[in-house]
Amino acid sequence: MAGVNESNSDSVVGSDVLSLESIRESLIRQEDTIVFSLIERSQFPLNALAFEDSGNSSSLTEFFVREIEFLQAKVGRYENPEENPFFLDNIPHPVFPTHKYPTVLHPKALFVNINKRIWDVYFKELLPLFVKPGDDGNYPSTAASDLACLQALSRRIHYGKFVAEVKFRDAPQDYEPAIRAKDTEALMKLLTFEKVEEMVKKRVQKKAETFGQEVKCISSDSGDESEKKYKVDPLVVSRIYGEWLIPLTKLVEVEYLLRRLD
């Protein structure tokens, strides 16, 4: 995790005490969700026609995500500050009474949302790394799988808001000068812990090896220890964290802190 010595059960919002430890535990559990969602998506080829814009109309995937978010908003999903919609113009008020989440984030910084960037990165950069090229025409199931990936990645990345809040509370004197100066470089340095980031990358690589190994029956007398095969390359999962998830999480942290004194 970006800058933490390292949710649902993964959640920190329902807790009376917001701490780096509780966030660390949440993010470790979220790694499982992300790895499994990538494995599930890998069973389909790229299926680019599902998510590419088709001229004047939105793609099938965008239509699917908008409709699902609209429904989820009606039952209160986005009342939870851990959840961030991809299409902000599409969010109705809940129809049913919702849980009253405790206020743990600064109100002016609560609405930091980089989902547009996450959407672009996912379809243009991440997806081609772990799925095969091609088209099998199974667009509805592909869109559902993409949504699962997008929501898992978004949740993890936007946890940067909670990381930033607890770090600011622990040492406001370290952050206030850079915040007042709008010094994003200084803030990024304060939030970067390279040893922790390397540990996270190694851990998710191991999880991808464990969760995604192809299991084949081998004759007991063959002695054949053939090369292991994985549904998603564990090194790619580690790379996704190192080159995209961790940097985007820190971007959210910086954007949050820049608004923390408003």
Side-chain angles (χ1 to χ4, degrees):
M1 173 204 136
V4 175
N5 298 332
E6 287 285 327
S7 355
N8 14 11
S9 62
D10 293 347
S11 176
V12 297
V13 172
S15 173
D16 292 332
V17 179
L18 184 65
S19 67
L20 285 179
E21 180 63 21
S22 65
I23 294 171
R24 181 187 71 87
E25 292 174 356
S26 171
L27 291 176
I28 289 175
R29 288 191 292 270
Q30 288 182 51
E31 292 166 2
D32 299 357
T33 303
I34 290 171
V35 172
F36 278 122
S37 69
L38 297 179
I39 290 171
E40 284 298 305
R41 178 58 178 89
S42 70
Q43 70 181 301
F44 305 106
L46 187 61
N47 283 344
L49 288 178
F51 57 82
E52 289 179 345
D53 291 339
S54 53
N56 296 326
S57 60
S58 63
S59 67
L60 182 151
T61 300
E62 180 178 332
F63 174 81
F64 181 85
V65 173
R66 283 183 177 274
E67 293 296 310
I68 294 296
E69 286 192 340
F70 187 83
L71 178 61
Q72 291 178 335
K74 282 191 168 184
V75 295
R77 179 186 179 102
Y78 302 109
E79 300 302 297
N80 183 345
E82 295 179 350
E83 305 293 350
N84 298 269
F86 281 86
F87 298 101
L88 294 165
D89 60 338
N90 194 47
I91 303 303
H93 293 294
V95 173
F96 301 97
T98 59
H99 177 69
K100 300 300 181 185
Y101 294 94
T103 301
V104 295
L105 298 177
H106 186 65
K108 295 291 186 181
L110 173 62
F111 298 105
V112 171
N113 185 320
I114 65 164
N115 271 339
K116 185 180 186 303
R117 182 164 180 180
I118 294 171
W119 180 283
D120 290 341
V121 164
Y122 175 76
F123 286 111
K124 295 177 181 178
E125 301 179 55
L126 303 191
L127 200 54
L129 292 178
F130 69 92
V131 301
K132 296 178 181 178
D135 191 310
D136 67 0
N138 197 354
Y139 302 148
S141 295
T142 299
S145 188
D146 281 329
L147 175 58
C149 290
L150 286 165
Q151 289 185 329
L153 296 172
S154 172
R155 182 183 176 87
R156 197 278 181 201
I157 289 166
H158 285 99
Y159 248 64
K161 291 187 278 190
F162 296 95
V163 176
E165 177 62 26
V166 73
K167 285 188 169 186
F168 179 84
R169 291 185 191 182
D170 286 349
Q173 70 282 357
D174 292 343
Y175 291 94
E176 285 187 7
I179 294 171
R180 296 186 189 282
K182 304 294 184 184
D183 190 339
T184 58
E185 184 176 343
L187 288 172
M188 190 64 75
K189 287 181 179 179
L190 287 168
L191 295 166
T192 298
F193 295 84
E194 292 182 359
K195 288 184 178 179
V196 175
E197 293 175 9
E198 286 300 315
M199 182 169 59
V200 172
K201 288 162 57 181
K202 289 178 181 178
R203 186 171 60 235
V204 295
Q205 179 179 334
K206 184 64 176 178
K207 287 184 178 184
E209 292 172 355
T210 303
F211 301 159
Q213 184 176 347
E214 298 277 7
V215 179
K216 296 182 179 179
C217 293
I218 301 175
S219 173
S220 58
D221 59 355
S222 68
D224 181 12
E225 290 290 339
S226 57
E227 183 180 352
K228 293 179 181 178
K229 294 184 179 180
Y230 302 99
K231 296 172 183 175
V232 174
D233 186 344
L235 291 174
V236 169
V237 176
S238 177
R239 182 184 169 194
I240 287 172
Y241 262 79
E243 295 186 22
W244 289 281
L245 264 65
I246 291 173
L248 288 172
T249 301
K250 290 194 291 187
L251 174 63
V252 167
E253 293 176 37
V254 169
E255 291 297 320
Y256 180 91
L257 288 171
L258 288 174
R259 295 163 175 79
R260 184 56 179 78
L261 298 180
D262 290 352

